[in-house]
Amino acid sequence: MGGGGGEEGEGRVQNVLVMRHGDRIDHLEPLWVGHASRPWDPPLAEVGLIRAWTTGKRLRGVGFPIHRVLVSPFLRCLETATEVIRALCCVVDDDTRLLAMGTSQDAVLDPSRVKVSIEFGLCEMLNSQAIGSSVAPKDNKWFPHISELEALLPAGTLDHSAESIYKELPQWEESLLEARKRYTSVIQALSDKYPNENLLLVSHGEAIGASVASFLEDAMVFEVEYCACCHLQRNILSNSSQASSTENFRVLTESGQTGVSYSITPEFS
């Protein structure tokens, strides 16, 4: 990932990382669904927790500070974000010690380093393509109260003043095209809402695909690995918080570089 940004004022660069969650338990243990109370909302497998922690450690070295983390309400994303936040907030004398830590179990945190909130617009595609109709909640109650979801995030990091772009979940059976448009609009809206901050958005595979395809002309995404990241960057032309003071995003992630693989297929007239 490229560096840049962080300074206030004219010519500032904004960096936005769009990241997929880690390895989900139902993809490694198919029988998990049969005895789960919430089969539509699987947690991470142990390997997923480690992958998220490792990714978080890597993100400390991207060349710019991450000021704010926004996360999908699904459990696998909350657990991924938690591991990444612990890595970003871990207090160590030098990063060599951090690199030697295999898990976040003994991490000492400075929660003031990032602000965190839940964004419903970053949720999984709400359709039978992504979530089987047989496991989707019949009463349309997808999650417990948001306070229970927020309690899963590292203590002291939550930004209680932040308001979600989406006040509620999308309607069930949104189309693939609708979901992709949602991801693109939410990425843009969050970036415009916090133009003076570098963002990390923890979401789902289709969101990472949309972030590449929407901002890189003629790109076709064909693989998004667990904990894959897409790096978007744009210039902020002034101190104004209005969207008109920004340029369009550039995709800095090369195909295969951070778990996202895509091809460029120019159209011929």
Side-chain angles (χ1 to χ4, degrees):
M1 298 181 194
E7 300 82 7
E8 298 291 339
E10 186 172 356
R12 185 191 179 279
V13 170
Q14 183 185 32
N15 297 280
V16 177
L17 303 177
V18 189
M19 176 183 173
R20 188 187 181 192
H21 58 78
D23 313 55
R24 46 193 286 179
I25 195 169
D26 57 331
H27 284 185
L28 293 177
E29 301 179 24
L31 296 180
W32 175 87
V33 172
H35 57 78
S37 60
R38 300 166 53 80
W40 59 86
D41 194 19
L44 295 183
E46 184 64 29
V47 66
L49 293 169
I50 294 173
R51 191 194 299 269
W53 165 249
T54 302
T55 302
K57 292 192 292 183
R58 179 169 57 82
L59 291 180
R60 285 175 67 119
V62 292
F64 53 84
I66 295 172
H67 303 109
R68 185 176 297 270
V69 179
L70 300 111
V71 54
S72 159
F74 278 82
L75 181 56
R76 54 192 178 276
C77 292
L78 292 168
E79 291 185 340
T80 299
T82 293
E83 292 300 307
V84 171
I85 292 163
R86 285 173 176 163
L88 295 176
C89 294
C90 187
V91 179
V92 289
D93 295 333
D94 61 78
D95 279 357
T96 302
R97 181 171 177 271
L98 177 64
L99 292 174
M101 296 171 63
T103 72
S104 65
Q105 181 177 354
D106 297 322
V108 177
L109 308 186
D110 174 4
S112 68
R113 292 186 179 183
V114 296
K115 299 176 181 178
V116 186
S117 59
I118 293 172
E119 171 54 58
F120 288 108
L122 292 173
C123 76
E124 177 67 278
M125 293 192 298
L126 289 194
N127 58 35
S128 52
Q129 178 178 340
I131 304 170
S133 298
S134 61
V135 300
K138 307 306 180 186
D139 58 3
N140 209 37
K141 294 183 66 173
W142 291 86
F143 304 110
H145 191 272
I146 189 170
S147 61
E148 295 185 43
L149 302 180
E150 292 173 339
L152 299 172
L153 297 165
T157 62
L158 193 66
D159 181 0
H160 293 280
S161 67
E163 295 185 3
S164 181
I165 299 295
Y166 268 62
K167 305 306 180 186
E168 56 186 22
L169 293 174
Q171 292 296 310
W172 174 248
E173 288 297 11
E174 65 176 339
S175 69
L176 175 60
L177 180 59
E178 288 171 337
R180 288 174 175 171
K181 287 182 177 179
R182 165 168 62 85
Y183 289 131
T184 302
S185 67
V186 169
I187 292 168
Q188 189 72 59
L190 289 171
S191 303
D192 291 343
K193 186 176 182 179
Y194 305 108
N196 295 317
E197 298 179 1
N198 297 319
L199 309 180
L200 171 63
L201 314 181
V202 182
S203 188
H204 304 264
E206 201 60 50
I208 287 73
S211 69
V212 174
S214 298
F215 299 109
L216 183 60
E217 187 175 2
D218 299 322
M220 180 176 293
V221 179
F222 56 85
E223 184 177 16
V224 178
E225 300 173 7
Y226 287 124
C227 287
C229 284
C230 172
H231 182 185
L232 307 176
Q233 188 182 82
R234 66 177 180 175
N235 293 327
I236 307 295
L237 303 182
S238 73
N239 280 328
S240 170
S241 63
Q242 299 300 312
S244 59
S245 68
T246 64
E247 294 183 349
N248 291 331
F249 276 112
R250 304 176 293 277
V251 177
L252 299 189
T253 301
E254 298 179 4
S255 180
Q257 185 180 38
T258 54
V260 186
S261 298
Y262 59 87
S263 59
I264 304 297
T265 55
E267 295 183 2
F268 296 95
S269 56

